[in-house]
Every structure is written in C-alpha cells, then in structure tokens.
C-alpha cells in the first residue's frame, strides 16, 4: 500500500479503522524490509546461440548457450513452452495433471537453422537466437516472442525477467483479467497484482481485483490466447500497431511482460474465438454452473439491517410485482455469530425457511479475517490445524497480525491443503443457519476482506513453500477452492453457489466473480461492461457488477440504465445503497419492473448459456466480434455485446440519450420491441427510450424463454430467405448434478412459412412463437 492508498483508506472507512490500516501497512513494510533482502548487484542473461535439440513426444528441448527451451504440443491443441527447464506443474491454473503430449507433433529442423514443431492448429518455430514464432498452419505469423532476458541477483535469489513480443499491425489486445478500462486494451501499462480499489472498480488507473496474465489477441491472421503461467507481481505493457497505408512499412503491435520472479512458461491456444475458449477451458477446467435460482435477480443488504428489514424488502418486491430470487446478507464470518447479529436475526433458520418457501434464498457474506483473540472458537481451532496452525506466518514463524473489522486479525493460508479442508468445514454453520450460498466479500489487498499481508509472509504453496509475492494473486482462488469443496462435501445433492471478489486463471472451477460497485456516475456503466467482457474472455463466464454500488447516489435515469445493463449480464445483483424502486414510484417503478420481468422471462436462456459455457467454454457475454473476428470495425466496437449467439444488447451509456448507434455483425437483426429488421454488417441507429435498451435478435435464432404460464417456450426469430438459423437449448435440470441434455433446433423459411425442427427428428416438445414475420409456424 502506497501513501495515496493509506490516505484513501482513512477517508473510506473512517478515522479509527483508517489509522489501523495505516499502522498495519507500516508494520508490513518494516517486516518486508527485514525479511526481504535487497537484490543488490544483478547479472543479466539471454539465451545465447542455439547449440542442439532433442526431440521428445509432442515436441522436444532446444538447447542454447545459456538456457534451455522446452516445447510440447498437448492433446487438444494447446502449445506449452518454457525456459530454464520449468515444467507445466505445479500450477494453480491447471485443475490436475498436465495434459498429455500429442505424439503426432514432432520437433524437426527448420529451414533457417532453427527448429520447429508442426501441429494441427499451430506451428511453433524457434530461431537460432531464441525467438519463438507462432504461425498458422498456412504459415501466417500470429505472434513473435523475442529472446527473453533475465536479471539474476549475484548473491542468489529469484530472477526477474522480461519477455517482449510482436503481433500483426492490425491486432487488438483483450483480456488480462477484468479491466475497467477494457475490453479492448490500448497502449499502456497494466499491472498484474490483485488489488482492491477501495469501494469500487473505477475506470482507467484504478487497480483491478481480478488480474490474469491471459492475453486474447485478434487480428486478420487469426485469434490466439497466450497465458504466462506465473503468479508473481508483474506488468504488461501493450502498444497497438499501425499499418503503413499501402507503403508496406507496417509497425507491428508490441507486448512486454515483466515479472518480479517465478518461471517463464507459456501456454498458447489458436483458432476461432470459440475454439480458443474451448481449448482454454479444456486446459484450465470447465466453469461450474451456478444453481438455477442464482441466474435470477438478486439483491444485497449491508450494514445494520435486521430481520424486519429483510421481510420488508421481500414483501415490497412481491407487492409491486418485482421478481427477486436471492437476498445477500453481510452476516459475519464462519463459525462466529456475534451478539449484534443474534439480536438482528434471532431466528435465521426460521427466516431462511420462510423466505425459501416464497422463492427467495439467503446468501451469506464470508471473509477470511479471523479475530486473533483467546476464546474465539475459530481462531483456537485454526491454531490446532497441522503442525504450524492454519494462519499465515512471518519468516520468524509468528502469526501475521493485521487490522480488519473489530481489531487484530489473522488470515488462513489457503495454499495449504489441510487448511482448505479445515476451512471448508466451517461453512456447515452457514448452511445450518439456512443460507443457500456464500459470497466472499472484497475490501482487502487481494480483493478480499481481511488484513493486508506483507510480501515476506510465508505460505505453504501446496507443500513447496514460498512467500506472499508468489501467493498473493492466487489467495482468492485458493479460498474459493476451500469454500467450493467444503460446500460440495456438506451438501452433496446441490450445486454450490459461491461468488468471489477476486481470483486468477482457473477460478471458474469454483464459482463466479463479482466486480463490486463500479465508480460513481456514467463512466461506471462502461466499466461494468468492460469488466464482464474481460472476465469472460479469460474463462470466467459467470460475473457481473453490483448494480448501483454501495454508496448509491444515482439519478433516476442512471439508476434505470444500470438496472437495464445488469439485467442482461450473467450475475445480476442490485445494492441496497439505492432506494427501493417503489420508493420512487411512478415511472421509475414501472420501468424497473419491466427490467426485472424481462430478466425472468429470459431465465431459460441464461440457464442454457450457463450450461453451454461449461460444455464449450464460450462466455455468456461476448464481444460483438465473437463470430466475425475478421471484421476490423467490430474489433474496435466496445459499447455493445452479444448475449449468447441469439441476442445483441446495446446498453445506453450516456446521459440523456434516447437513440444510439449500433454496429451489426453480418446478417439480419430484429429490434425485439419494434420488430424492425436491419441488415448487417454496418452501423444503424435505433431507438433507446428511457424505459428500455435496444436488444436485437439474430434472424433465425431459437431462444428459450419463460412463457406466460411459466413453462418453457421457444421464441423463434424468422430467418431471412435462403438463410437458416437455429439454437441450442438446455432444459433446467434443477440445482443438483443431473446431466444437462442439449437440444438442437433449426429454423428455415419454406414457401413463406417458418419451419422449426429438432435435430434427431420428432415433434418440438414445447410451444413455439415466431417473431419478426407474420407467416405462421410449421413444426
């Protein structure tokens, strides 16, 4: 924490807690000064000239004068390479064993004295100086990694390194986690250190809570994903290229990755965007599917609310016809029910049962800060875990104390399997109180509540040992794993609901992420969309902002525009910082009701997208270039998104706008309210009145929706003449572990009639409603 952060903490949380944070930060700084030796003199190193090569299954080892490069192609098409004998394991990104090498790929001499590995989807070429090129099967360059450079302390210690690369001049960068200044990442430096930006995730310049060294690069040559599997702090500096306007003197785009330590190892996946995310998911693990109820409208209540307040909120939603499926409560830590909480909620199990019968689940906040006080049952139990106890310690073996909540606290070391197992058992108390899921809050340095940990703090790191410099970025991921495995073991018949504030590559295996309250004002809308798009491209399909934020000072117009955007994002949670819609009455209430009702109507579509994300890796919310990455205009278009394959959502992001421009991908698109048809590619102007945002449906799309009677209905948008369409539908299998069955439907126009068919034959098993055409439907 720097000086500006210290001052901000005082202003944010009040003078007493702010001064505690200042005291804790200075204490950590002193601990680091004592325990982390100065790097001193350093020795620079580069690979040197190529010496020899040794083929191995799926690739081989290329020896240079001062380093070794290992390359192999995995079954499934992903390519791994590393320097200095670093292997793919251990890794927090991979769910288990490393994928097997593809025996069809072989290391063979290249024409210029280098070596290459040719695979089905990528050719990896290595030059005599150590440059690594990624080429398409046709030989077109996707990326060129220049020879890396290391700086090694003469007296020993972790080597820092830099890796520079070049991409085609027309390439655009995306990814690096959830970035408020995305989704397209223009020139600039992007830090790789999960940090809490205070109470909100503001736009440019504020530190993100979800960083990942995952780049998605889109160019005319193709799409590729590059992942530097390194959890240390780092910085990525990007610069987009520039074409020479026919002169032939193009300036390539550049990327520079600098890491403070850790291995230099990479994974690459190439192909269409859908194939890239499928390969990334196969490598890092399939996303968990949230329970069906978690795909509905939710709300969070923080502060001093009590049982009466909870009942009032739920009753208000019901009275005014506003759907609500979950209420999130800030009710403390596992294993601890403070006296104040008992007074606020004297009968939590009874309240939870009552609300669940009314269709509303309760979700509890959980944070890792454990009060370090004798007599605290969780603290005492944690000290008995293993030989050294459950809590993070300093190099001298003492528990690291920090300030959080009521006073001095300690944090569990979630990189220790024994600690994760113990922590998972603590969620039993939350379930016994009637909660249906948990959300890991976020106001600490890793996007989690709790005391800041010094970089010198010691962690188990799965038994190999290390310090917080390596563990910091994966702390939230490891906590999510502890929570997910604990919940699954305690309630094996239901899919766990777990939401985190922070994470890293592979977090999708354990739950979703929330981007928190974005910056106040209209810029927060753009930030909200950028955060969700960035997380999706990095493999996290279930995410969303806290609509309205915790401070809550929006105008009625901004409040409604936030609701309208949030209603089309996978995780839809509003905050109690805003007044309830019925308190504003009139137009605000009517428009808010329309937003929530439409979200519930689309519930079957969100269920299908969530299950398809698990099966294919495709995010629910996608950039508009997803199906047309070769369209340069779409690559630069950032203020709209695709919801699945069937819908294009164009939220209003400017004050007072009642119309807005929308750039369409190829094909016919229908305005879902007016029914007017537009032809893409190209830019059109559509109506965007205050009560709704423009949503366009792709011609031929088959979209599952909730019918008037509550049952499943297929909404089919008439295909254009000579073109077909279709869609994938996953019926809601409930909140358990039943296997999701994918139904495929096609639509076509035959003699003026829309024909809808189910793959495999047989009748269509639910009502069909055709939109965008007056012609009757034939099934």
């Amino acid at each position: 924490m720097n000086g500006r952060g210290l001052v901000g903490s005082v202003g944010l949380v009040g003078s007493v807690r702010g001064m505690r944070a200042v005291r804790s930060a200075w204490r950590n700084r002193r601990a680091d000064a004592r325990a982390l030796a100065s790097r001193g003199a350093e020795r620079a190193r580069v690979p040197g000239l190529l010496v020899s090569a040794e083929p191995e299954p799926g690739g081989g080892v290329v020896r240079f004068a001062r380093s070794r490069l290992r390359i192999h192609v995995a079954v499934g098409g992903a390519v791994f390479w590393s320097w200095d004998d670093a292997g793919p394991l251990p890794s927090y990104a991979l769910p288990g064993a490393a994928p097997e090498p593809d025996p069809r790929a072989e290391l063979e001499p290249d024409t210029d004295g280098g070596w290459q590995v040719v695979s089905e989807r990528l050719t990896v070429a290595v030059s005599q100086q150590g440059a690594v090129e990624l080429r398409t099967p046709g030989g077109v360059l996707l990326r060129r990694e220049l020879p890396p450079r290391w700086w090694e302390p003469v007296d020993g210690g972790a080597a820092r390194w830099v890796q520079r690369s070049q991409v085609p001049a027309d390439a655009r960068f995306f990814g690096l986690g959830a970035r408020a200044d995305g989704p397209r990442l223009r020139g600039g430096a992007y830090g790789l250190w999960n940090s809490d930006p205070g109470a909100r995730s503001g736009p440019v310049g504020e530190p993100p809570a979800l960083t990942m060294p995952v780049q998605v690069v889109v160019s005319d040559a193709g799409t590729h994903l590059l992942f530097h599997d390194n959890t240390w702090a780092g910085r990525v500096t990007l610069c987009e290229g520039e074409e020479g306007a026919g002169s032939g003197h193009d300036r390539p785009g550049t990327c520079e990755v600098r890491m403070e330590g850790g291995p230099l190892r990479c994974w690459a996946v190439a192909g269409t965007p859908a194939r890239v995310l499928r390969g990334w998911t196969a490598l890092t693990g399939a996303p968990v599917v949230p329970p069906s109820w978690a795909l509905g409208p939710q709300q969070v209540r923080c502060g001093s609310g009590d049982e009466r307040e909870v009942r009032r909120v739920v009753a208000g939603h019901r009275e005014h016809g506003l759907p609500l499926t979950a209420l999130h409560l800030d009710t403390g830590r596992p294993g601890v029910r403070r006296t104040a909480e008992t007074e606020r909620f004297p009968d939590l199990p009874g309240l939870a049962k009552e609300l669940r019968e009314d269709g509303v689940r309760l979700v509890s906040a959980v944070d890792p800060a454990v009060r370090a006080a004798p007599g605290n049952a969780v603290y005492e139990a944690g000290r008995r875990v293993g030989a050294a106890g459950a809590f993070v310690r300093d190099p001298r073996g003492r528990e690291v104390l920090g300030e959080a909540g009521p006073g001095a606290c300690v944090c569990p070391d979630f990189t220790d399997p024994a600690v994760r197992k113990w922590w998972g058992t603590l969620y039993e108390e939350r379930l016994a109180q009637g909660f249906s899921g948990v959300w890991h809050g976020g106001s600490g340095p890793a996007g989690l509540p709790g005391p800041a940990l010094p970089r010198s703090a010691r962690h188990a790191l799965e038994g190999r040992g290390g310090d917080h410099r390596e563990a910091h970025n994966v702390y939230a991921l490891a906590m999510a794993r502890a929570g997910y495995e604990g919940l699954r073991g305690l309630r094996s018949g239901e899919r766990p609901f777990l939401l985190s504030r922070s994470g890293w590559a592979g977090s999708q295996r354990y739950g979703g992420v929330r981007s928190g309250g974005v910056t106040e004002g209209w810029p927060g809308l753009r930030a909200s969309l950028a955060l969700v798009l960035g997380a999706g491209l990095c493999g996290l399909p279930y995410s969303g902002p806290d609509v309205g934020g915790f401070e809550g000072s929006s105008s009625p117009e901004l409040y409604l525009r936030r609701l309208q955007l949030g209603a089309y994002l996978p995780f839809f949670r509003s905050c109690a910082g805003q007044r309830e819609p019925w308190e504003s009455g009139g137009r605000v209430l009517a428009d808010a009701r329309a937003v929530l009702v439409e979200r519930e109507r689309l519930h079957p579509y969100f269920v299908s997208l969530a299950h398809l994300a698990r099966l294919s890796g495709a995010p629910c919310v996608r950039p508009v270039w997803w199906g047309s990455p070769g369209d340069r205009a779409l690559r630069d278009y950032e203020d709209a998104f695709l919801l699945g394959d069937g819908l294009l959502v164009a939220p209003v992001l400017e004050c007072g706008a009642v119309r807005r421009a929308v750039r369409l991908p190829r094909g016919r698109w229908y305005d879902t309210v007016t029914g007017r048809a537009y032809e893409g590619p190209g830019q059109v102007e559509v109506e965007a009145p205050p009560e709704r945002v423009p949503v366009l449906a792709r011609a031929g799309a088959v979209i599952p929706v909730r019918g008037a009677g509550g049952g499943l209905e297929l909404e089919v948008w008439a295909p254009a003449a000579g073109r077909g369409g279709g869609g994938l539908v996953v019926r809601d299998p409930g909140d358990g572990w039943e296997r999701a069955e994918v139904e495929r439907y096609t639509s076509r126009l035959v003699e003026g009639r829309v024909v809808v068919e189910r793959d495999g034959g047989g009748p269509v098993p639910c009502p069909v409603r055709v939109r965008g055409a007056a012609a009757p439907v034939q099934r």
Side-chain angles (χ1 to χ4, degrees), residues 150-166:
W150 296 265
W151 286 269
E152 301 166 330
V154 174
D155 296 330
R160 58 189 181 95
W161 52 263
V162 61
Q163 173 75 75
R164 297 183 176 92
S165 57
Q166 297 175 341

Side-chain angles (χ1 to χ4, degrees), residues 81-321:
W81 72 90
S82 68
W83 291 91
D84 291 350
D85 295 317
L89 297 176
S91 171
Y92 279 96
L94 274 57
E100 293 293 324
D102 187 344
R104 298 173 299 175
E106 297 181 353
L107 182 66
E108 58 188 37
D110 201 358
T111 55
D112 60 354
W115 291 78
Q116 66 176 7
V117 179
V118 180
S119 68
E120 181 181 358
R121 299 174 188 171
L122 270 177
T123 295
V124 185
V126 182
S127 76
Q128 296 185 58
Q129 291 75 33
V132 178
E133 291 187 354
L134 301 181
R135 304 171 184 162
T136 68
V140 180
L141 180 68
L142 289 172
R143 188 183 193 98
R144 185 170 192 264
E145 299 282 299
L146 301 176
R149 190 179 187 89
W150 296 265
W151 286 269
E152 301 166 330
V154 174
D155 296 330
R160 58 189 181 95
W161 52 263
V162 61
Q163 173 75 75
R164 297 183 176 92
S165 57
Q166 297 175 341
V167 296
D170 65 286
R172 296 291 181 262
F173 295 98
F174 302 86
L176 296 182
R179 302 277 173 169
D181 45 356
R184 173 184 163 195
L185 303 176
R186 293 170 171 80
Y190 299 87
L192 296 174
W193 186 258
N194 288 349
S195 304
D196 188 77
R200 55 188 184 268
S201 298
V204 181
E206 293 202 26
L210 177 65
T211 68
M212 300 185 204
V214 179
Q215 302 172 38
V216 177
V217 183
V218 186
S219 67
D220 289 352
T223 301
H224 74 272
L225 179 150
L226 189 76
F227 169 50
H228 287 87
D229 194 351
N230 184 312
T231 66
W232 285 61
R235 186 177 74 247
V236 179
T237 304
L238 303 175
C239 181
E240 293 182 342
E242 184 177 357
E243 294 184 297
S247 69
H249 298 289
D250 294 346
R251 177 174 60 81
T254 61
C255 168
E256 179 186 272
V257 179
R258 287 182 177 269
M259 304 299 288
E260 294 180 4
L264 203 177
R265 54 183 182 178
C266 303
W267 287 93
V269 185
T272 64
R275 177 169 284 183
V276 165
L277 266 294
R278 187 182 303 118
W280 175 241
T281 298
L283 182 66
T284 59
V288 297
V289 179
S292 178
W293 57 265
L295 293 166
Q298 305 174 55
Q299 191 180 89
V300 59
R301 311 293 297 185
C302 291
S304 59
D306 56 13
E307 186 172 313
R308 183 172 57 181
E309 172 72 4
V310 168
R311 284 198 171 93
R312 182 192 72 82
V313 170
V314 174
H317 279 78
R318 295 295 179 254
E319 177 184 350
H320 295 93

Side-chain angles (χ1 to χ4, degrees), residues 36 89-92 158 192-194 229-233 259-263 265 413 415 454-462 464-476 478 504:
L36 298 179
L89 297 176
S91 171
Y92 279 96
L192 296 174
W193 186 258
N194 288 349
D229 194 351
N230 184 312
T231 66
W232 285 61
M259 304 299 288
E260 294 180 4
R265 54 183 182 178
D413 181 7
T415 68
R455 297 194 177 203
S456 59
R458 301 298 299 174
H459 291 266
L461 289 168
E462 314 309 315
R464 67 184 183 276
D467 59 40
H468 195 63
R469 292 176 296 178
E470 185 177 357
H472 176 90
N473 282 336
V474 294
Y475 187 86
W504 204 67

Side-chain angles (χ1 to χ4, degrees), residues 664 667-671 674-680 684 696-697 699 717-718 772:
L664 300 175
R668 177 174 296 177
W669 297 84
Y670 296 98
D671 187 308
T674 67
R676 181 176 176 180
Y678 301 91
E679 289 291 335
V684 299
L696 296 98
W717 290 88

Side-chain angles (χ1 to χ4, degrees), residues 66 166 251 288 345 514 563 573 578 613 639 665 679 762:
R66 290 177 289 276
Q166 297 175 341
R251 177 174 60 81
V288 297
F345 300 99
R514 65 179 187 90
L563 277 179
R573 184 176 86 167
Q578 298 287 347
D639 61 357
E679 289 291 335

